[in-house]
């Protein structure tokens, strides 16, 4: 009887882990296009969906947003803010939403989603941050613990779909 209980407990533990562990994977198995971020400081983008294909580009920025435009087994065809496309292993991506400041010159980060609300700070193009939420043509972002509202048209990664559930 003790052996049976031990076996039953083991099987139950495996079943529970199977229902909990794939959350990150399932978060990326959804309708395209969707937004994702790079999970690591160094992520390889390949010309095809396998490790056999050559590396076309190496991203060196954890949290950098990419648009996932196609799925193929464990690989994602992604697009960066310049329109460059390539394949990244899905394990290298996070379902967290990020954003990248685009355009010319500094952008104001404000206390509220209006252009006349008090200025918190300014950021230059290329700054990467976490996307918190968007409304009324503005998005609230967090960059290294500092947050503020930015016009949505100055952000790559803040369009189309709402953040995926975590």
């Amino acid at each position: 009887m003790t052996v049976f209980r031990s076996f039953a407990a083991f099987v139950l533990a495996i079943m529970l882990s199977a229902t909990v562990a794939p959350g990150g994977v399932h978060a990326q198995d959804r309708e395209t296009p969707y937004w994702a971020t790079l999970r690591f400081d160094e992520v390889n983008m390949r010309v095809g969906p396998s490790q056999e294909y050559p590396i076309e580009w190496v991203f060196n920025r954890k949290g950098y947003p990419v648009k996932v435009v196609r799925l193929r087994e464990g690989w994602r065809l992604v697009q960066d803010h310049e329109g460059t496309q390539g394949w990244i292993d899905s394990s290298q991506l996070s379902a967290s939403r990020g954003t990248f400041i685009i355009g010319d010159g500094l952008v104001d980060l404000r206390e509220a989603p209006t252009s006349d609300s008090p200025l918190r700070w300014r950021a230059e193009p290329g700054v990467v941050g976490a996307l918190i939420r968007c409304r009324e043509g503005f998005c609230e972002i967090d960059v290294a613990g500092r947050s503020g509202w930015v016009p949505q048209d100055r952000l790559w990664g803040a369009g189309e779909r709402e953040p995926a559930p975590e």
Side-chain angles (χ1 to χ4, degrees):
M1 188 69 157
T2 304
V3 173
F4 177 73
R5 283 187 181 168
S6 296
F7 180 73
F10 175 73
V11 170
L12 182 61
I14 288 178
M15 290 173 56
L16 287 173
S17 68
T19 60
V20 174
V25 175
H26 288 300
Q28 293 191 42
D29 287 337
R30 57 184 196 257
E31 187 179 332
T32 57
Y34 67 87
W35 298 100
T37 54
L38 302 182
R39 181 170 284 174
F40 304 104
D41 287 325
E42 188 172 293
V43 173
N44 295 330
M45 184 170 71
R46 297 180 179 272
V47 298
S50 127
Q51 298 240 356
E52 303 301 315
Y53 286 94
I55 296 169
E56 180 176 27
W57 187 260
V58 178
F59 288 103
N60 291 304
R61 202 172 219 175
K62 182 178 180 175
Y64 183 83
V66 292
K67 182 186 279 189
V68 177
V69 295
R70 201 163 101 201
L71 312 176
R72 181 158 183 195
E73 296 169 1
W75 292 83
R76 304 296 179 257
L77 179 63
V78 302
Q79 179 178 323
D80 72 7
H81 77 283
E82 294 178 329
T84 303
Q85 291 189 351
W87 293 90
I88 294 178
D89 187 300
S90 64
S91 68
Q92 306 297 297
L93 299 173
S94 168
S96 300
R97 288 288 300 265
T99 191
F100 179 86
I101 295 178
I102 58 172
D104 295 322
L106 297 174
V107 66
D108 296 338
L109 280 88
R110 302 207 170 260
E111 281 187 26
T114 63
S115 28
D116 60 350
S117 79
L119 177 67
R120 284 196 170 163
W121 53 290
R122 291 189 171 105
E124 60 187 23
V127 168
V128 171
L131 180 65
I132 299 170
R133 62 185 164 193
C134 295
R135 70 173 197 235
E136 303 164 16
F138 284 80
C139 295
E140 185 178 17
I141 66 171
D142 180 294
V143 178
R146 298 176 69 189
S147 66
W149 291 87
V150 179
Q152 190 168 355
D153 63 356
R154 290 293 308 268
L155 298 172
W156 162 259
E160 288 134 29
R161 297 188 185 216
E162 289 301 307
E166 291 297 316

